[in-house]
């Protein structure tokens, strides 16, 4: 359909370009013809003047002779060369061919003829979670808070579900209500602040700042509140204080803390803008470990039925511990069996990999991660997740298998400063006995780690050991 | 001779391209303002309806070195620079005066409620007439006005920490000069 329309449009454009070229142009009147016309008029005028008697016959005769001479002179001038049309016919043909051909070639190169159409309704749905169970769950929650506006648990759940649906305003309002109902507890202040930031497109609003200040008053170590407090400082233009805040947070975080890349990126950017030399910074003497003692928001209501689990899951929760584990394992095995038939389902394999990891099945998890890397060998995020899993699951004293080595090499090629990949490939080289290669990789890694972090200290020690062994 | 006529559009294009290309190398935030070192235009703006804050006029400017910030709730870059003014209001005694440009009163009130209010006074310029007199052609814009009511500095676009530093240096100078 769309291609028929495009072909039609192309045809119209070609026609519009070719038409004026092919059209037989009426030759413009030549100068000579025009002059001849003027002289003919003059002759008639002389005849009229003679008839009226304004001039006599002799004068008329002389004038006629003069005009006649001029007309003769005109007639003997060489005729204007005829307009040539041969070249333009060739040009028209070339245009008619070249335009569609170029358009088609460009489309083949840049376009995606195989891509499915994305109607507007689907675009909207893509941003949200389409799981019908969750949609149903959200509807139940809205009914619950409508009938009982004091239902703290329903408000907290609604806030969490709204966040899943990317409805930042709704999530913020739900957190506000829940926070008020719970009597402004620090357990809710963190998520409230984060929701306020999301609703304001990343701006740490005064409301969010107050919320995070409450969290930090209850637990000065809380990493989320520290990160956003730094963000507030940076947005207010106090880059020095922001960098200091983030530097302490990064230094106090475990090397595999999920927030670490975000914190580092924010810190590096602010430091660059404020021309702060990060390598000269040292962690504050009173720096706190980046761990939070604040309980999750669910803890503010008495643990009863757990409505955050969709209906099917409700039954799961009712099972005794051992049976539940068995049932979950059964589900994951079902997923694994289904994926055998769908070796290219990236999302499915990612889910399977995470599930095996959660079930503490390192070998199966790594095999599933290896599959994701084979499906998408050039997606940094996929390779990153694989690297994460290798760090957690792989025995560091043994070599990586061929597929993991290939994936990490690909990751390093695409992001040469990927700390995880540098570390893992370095370990692999050590296991293979290539101390020199390992040292080179780890030197690169060393340059990426901020001074004074535990990870850096360990790396320095490892490199020293490698050099001593040589 | 006739052939040469066909080259006229090409020549015109080249001249235009050269002119525009030169324009690209210039910093649009450094537009020379006719108002620098001239007295602020005469104006008297009411307060934002429903907001317990004074309006803005030449009288407000007299006798103090102040910052005049043109803002609107619909202006995204204004959100970016807003925390900087919040901090300035907290940490220094330089009065920040607002000029609310072509904004609905309720939107402006909600905006100040959500993001905080750093302004000592806000003039409500719903038609944008006063802003035109001030030579404003895009929000946000920020001016530094000295004690006599003379405009000393103008910045187009969101104020960054570096611009703020420049402004604060100038303000300190102006204060000493009086």
């Amino acid at each position: 359909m769309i291609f028929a329309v495009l072909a039609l449009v192309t045809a119209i454009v070609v026609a519009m370009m070719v038409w004026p070229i092919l059209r037989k142009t009426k030759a413009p009147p030549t100068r000579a013809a025009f002059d001849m016309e003027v002289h003919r008029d003059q002759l008639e005028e002389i005849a009229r003047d003679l008839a009226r008697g304004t001039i006599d016959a002799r004068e008329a005769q002389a004038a006629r002779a003069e005009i006649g001479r001029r007309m003769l002179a005109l007639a003997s001038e060489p005729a204007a060369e005829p307009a040539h049309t041969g070249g333009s016919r060739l040009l028209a043909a070339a245009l008619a061919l070249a335009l569609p051909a170029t358009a088609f070639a460009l489309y083949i190169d840049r376009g995606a003829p195989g891509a499915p159409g994305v109607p507007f309704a689907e675009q909207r749905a893509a941003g949200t979670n389409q799981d019908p169970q969750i949609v149903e769950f959200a509807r139940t929650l809205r009914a619950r808070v409508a009938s009982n506006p004091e239902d703290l648990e329903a408000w907290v759940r609604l806030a969490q579900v709204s966040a899943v649906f990317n409805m930042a305003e709704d999530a913020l309002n739900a957190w506000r209500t829940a926070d008020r109902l719970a009597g402004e507890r620090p357990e809710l202040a963190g998520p409230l602040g984060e929701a306020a930031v999301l609703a304001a497109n990343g701006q740490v609003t005064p409301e969010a700042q107050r919320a995070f200040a409450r969290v930090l008053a209850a637990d000065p170590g809380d990493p989320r509140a520290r990160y956003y407090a730094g963000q507030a400082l940076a947005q207010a233009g106090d880059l020095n204080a922001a960098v200091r805040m983030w530097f302490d947070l990064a230094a106090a975080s475990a090397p595999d803390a999920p927030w670490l890349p975000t914190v580092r990126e924010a810190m590096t950017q602010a430091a660059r803008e404020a021309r702060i030399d990060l390598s000269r910074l040292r962690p504050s003497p009173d720096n706190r470990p980046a761990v939070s003692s604040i309980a999750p928001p669910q803890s503010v209501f008495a643990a009863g039925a757990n409505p955050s689990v969709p209906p099917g899951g409700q039954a799961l929760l009712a099972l005794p511990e051992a049976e539940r584990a068995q049932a979950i394992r059964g589900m994951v095995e079902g997923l694994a069996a289904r994926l055998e038939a769908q070796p290219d389902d990236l999302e499915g394999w990612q889910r399977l990999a995470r599930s095996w990891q959660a079930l503490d099945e390192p070998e199966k998890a790594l095999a599933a991660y290896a599959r994701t890397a084979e499906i998408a060998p050039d997606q940094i995020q996929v390779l990153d997740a694989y690297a994460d899993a290798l760090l957690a699951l792989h025995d560091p004293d043994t070599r990586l298998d061929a597929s993991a080595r290939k994936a990490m090499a690909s990751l390093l090629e695409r992001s040469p400063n990927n700390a995880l990949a540098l570390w893992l490939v370095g370990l692999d080289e050590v296991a293979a006995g290539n101390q020199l290669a390992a040292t080179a990789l780890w030197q690169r890694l060393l340059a990426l780690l901020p001074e004074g972090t535990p990870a850096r200290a360990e790396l320095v020690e490892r490199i020293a050991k490698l050099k001593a062994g040589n | 001779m006739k052939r040469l006529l066909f080259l006229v559009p090409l020549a015109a294009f080249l001249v235009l391209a050269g002119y525009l290309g030169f324009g690209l190398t210039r910093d649009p935030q450094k537009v020379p303002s006719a108002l620098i070192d001239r007295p602020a235009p005469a104006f008297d703006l009411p307060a934002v309806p429903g907001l317990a804050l004074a309006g803005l006029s030449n009288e407000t400017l007299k006798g103090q070195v102040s910052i005049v910030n043109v803002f609107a709730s619909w202006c995204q870059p204004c959100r970016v620079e807003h925390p900087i003014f919040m901090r300035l209001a907290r940490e220094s005694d330089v009065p920040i005066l607002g000029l609310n440009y072509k904004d609905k009163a309720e939107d402006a009130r909600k905006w100040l409620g959500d993001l905080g209010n750093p302004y000592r006074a806000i003039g409500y310029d719903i038609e944008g007439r006063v802003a035109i007199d001030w030579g404003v052609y895009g929000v946000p814009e920020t001016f530094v006005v000295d004690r006599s009511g003379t405009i000393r500095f103008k910045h187009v676009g969101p104020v960054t920490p570096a611009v703020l530093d420049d402004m604060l240096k100038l303000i300190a100078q102006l204060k000493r000069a009086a």
Side-chain angles (χ1 to χ4, degrees):
Chain A
M1 175 59 202
I2 182 74
F3 289 102
V5 174
L6 292 180
L8 187 71
V9 171
T10 314
I12 293 176
V13 171
V14 170
M16 283 169 66
M17 293 178 67
V18 168
W19 170 248
I21 303 177
L22 283 185
R23 200 179 43 176
K24 282 222 179 75
T25 46
K26 220 191 281 170
T30 61
R31 175 117 210 151
F34 179 77
D35 287 351
M36 199 68 96
E37 196 68 28
V38 171
H39 294 322
R40 226 168 267 135
D41 283 351
Q42 286 172 340
L43 283 178
E44 282 168 25
E45 199 176 334
I46 291 167
R48 278 200 302 277
D49 287 352
L50 188 64
R52 274 206 301 274
T54 38
I55 54 174
D56 61 29
R58 220 171 44 93
E59 281 169 330
Q61 189 59 40
R64 276 204 190 105
E66 173 61 25
I67 292 169
R69 254 196 310 280
R70 284 193 200 163
M71 287 171 93
L72 276 176
L74 269 180
S76 63
E77 255 181 28
E81 47 190 295
H84 52 96
T85 49
S88 59
R89 201 162 292 154
L90 207 68
L91 178 67
L95 262 179
L97 279 179
L99 190 88
T102 316
F104 189 72
L106 269 177
Y107 179 71
I108 291 300
D109 185 47
R110 320 238 49 125
V118 185
F120 186 62
E122 281 174 37
Q123 286 179 21
R124 274 181 61 96
T128 61
N129 193 323
Q130 286 168 294
D131 189 334
Q133 287 186 336
I134 296 189
V135 174
E136 182 54 39
F137 180 52
R139 194 172 304 140
T140 321
L141 285 174
R142 267 187 225 109
R144 257 176 75 179
V145 298
S147 66
N148 179 14
E150 305 275 290
D151 188 342
L152 173 61
E153 179 180 348
W155 278 113
V156 171
R157 300 297 188 194
L158 185 59
Q160 289 169 329
V161 168
S162 300
V164 171
F165 279 102
N166 286 331
M167 297 187 298
E169 281 285 337
D170 291 357
L172 174 57
N173 282 328
W175 282 120
R176 276 181 188 146
T177 314
D179 186 42
R180 188 168 42 75
L181 289 174
E184 311 211 330
R185 302 264 298 264
E187 290 91 330
L188 298 186
L192 167 67
E194 194 160 39
V197 172
L198 286 178
N201 285 327
Q203 183 143 15
V204 189
T205 61
E207 179 184 22
Q209 288 177 34
R210 281 193 299 275
F212 292 126
R214 268 164 56 201
V215 175
L216 291 177
D219 180 358
D222 186 87
R224 170 169 56 188
R226 288 167 78 177
Y227 168 71
Y228 282 114
Q231 192 76 342
L233 288 167
Q235 287 171 0
D238 195 349
L239 294 174
N240 284 310
V243 169
R244 157 74 26 217
M245 182 81 107
W246 286 329
F247 186 84
D248 281 349
L249 174 57
S253 299
D256 57 348
W259 56 80
L260 208 46
T262 314
V263 174
R264 286 237 177 86
E265 195 185 327
M267 172 175 73
T268 323
Q269 202 192 331
R272 199 181 310 129
E273 204 178 319
R275 302 218 176 83
I276 298 171
D277 185 0
L278 282 175
S279 63
R280 289 166 163 265
L281 288 186
R282 297 285 174 275
S284 306
D286 57 347
N287 196 9
R288 300 220 167 215
V291 283
S292 185
S293 60
I294 296 178
Q298 284 87 334
S299 61
V300 295
F301 42 80
N306 190 344
S308 74
V309 184
Q314 201 69 263
L316 260 187
L317 280 186
L319 293 173
E321 188 67 34
E323 280 178 47
R324 191 196 308 168
Q326 194 55 44
I328 292 177
R329 181 168 284 274
M331 281 161 55
V332 176
E333 274 163 3
L335 176 66
R338 187 166 64 73
L339 288 173
E340 285 306 319
Q342 298 166 335
D344 290 330
D345 178 357
L346 178 58
E347 233 174 86
W349 283 99
Q350 287 174 320
R351 195 142 35 101
L352 182 64
R354 283 193 299 267
S355 301
W356 282 132
Q357 197 170 352
L359 288 177
D360 202 17
E361 290 273 8
E363 276 165 33
K364 289 177 175 170
L366 285 178
Y369 276 116
R371 180 71 218 145
T372 63
E374 278 164 33
I375 299 173
D378 48 3
Q379 284 190 29
I380 290 183
Q381 280 168 340
V382 171
L383 298 174
D384 234 6
Y386 190 8
D388 251 345
L390 282 170
L391 184 71
L393 305 176
H394 174 71
D395 175 2
D397 294 331
T398 62
R399 293 213 64 185
L400 299 170
D401 63 23
S403 109
R405 209 176 305 140
K406 195 169 143 222
M408 291 308 103
S410 166
L411 180 56
L412 262 191
E413 190 184 307
R414 281 169 180 77
S415 91
N417 283 341
N418 187 299
L420 267 181
L422 284 170
W423 172 243
L424 287 166
V425 179
L427 276 178
D428 184 48
E429 296 288 5
V430 173
N434 300 331
Q435 267 85 354
L436 273 180
T439 315
L441 286 162
W442 284 352
Q443 292 287 8
R444 272 162 70 191
L445 177 57
L446 198 59
L448 301 172
L449 297 176
E451 297 264 354
T453 53
R456 187 184 170 97
E458 189 190 333
L459 190 63
V460 169
E461 201 176 304
R462 288 253 192 174
I463 295 175
K465 221 184 275 176
L466 276 183
K467 285 192 174 147
N470 263 351
Chain B
M1 182 60 213
K2 228 174 183 181
R3 292 269 156 102
L4 284 182
L5 265 176
F6 289 107
L7 291 179
V8 168
L10 181 67
F13 169 76
L14 286 178
V15 170
L16 187 68
Y19 177 71
L20 294 177
F22 171 68
L24 282 181
T25 65
R26 299 175 41 133
D27 185 350
Q29 309 200 320
K30 283 190 191 127
V31 190
S33 172
L35 287 171
I36 298 287
D37 294 333
R38 299 270 291 274
F43 73 108
D44 189 359
L45 281 173
V48 177
L51 201 65
L53 209 60
L56 194 61
S57 72
N58 296 90
E59 285 308 302
T60 334
L61 299 177
K62 290 264 161 67
Q64 56 181 359
V65 181
S66 58
I67 291 174
V68 176
N69 174 239
V70 186
F71 73 100
S73 67
W74 43 263
C75 142
Q76 277 302 317
C78 298
R79 293 184 80 97
V80 175
E81 66 172 4
H82 198 79
I84 291 186
F85 287 123
M86 288 300 291
R87 171 166 163 242
L88 189 62
R90 216 165 38 233
E91 293 177 359
S92 94
D93 56 353
V94 183
I96 308 170
L97 309 170
L99 206 161
N100 186 217
Y101 178 69
K102 291 190 179 173
D103 214 348
K104 284 198 198 115
E106 55 172 305
D107 291 347
R109 287 198 304 268
K110 179 175 179 334
W111 199 76
L112 293 169
D114 285 351
L115 300 183
N117 175 20
Y119 304 109
R120 297 228 183 134
I122 301 178
Y124 184 59
D125 189 16
I126 181 132
E127 287 166 353
R129 292 244 173 98
V130 171
I132 289 176
D133 290 344
W134 280 68
V136 171
Y137 52 83
V139 264
E141 283 190 20
T142 304
F143 300 84
V144 173
V145 183
D146 72 9
R147 262 176 245 264
S148 66
T150 303
I151 297 175
R152 292 295 189 177
F153 174 88
K154 169 180 172 168
H155 178 76
V156 181
V159 167
T160 60
V163 175
L164 181 69
D165 276 353
D166 289 351
M167 275 168 48
L168 289 179
K169 271 182 208 138
L170 174 67
I171 287 169
Q173 235 176 51
L174 290 174
K175 280 188 169 172
R176 271 198 309 272

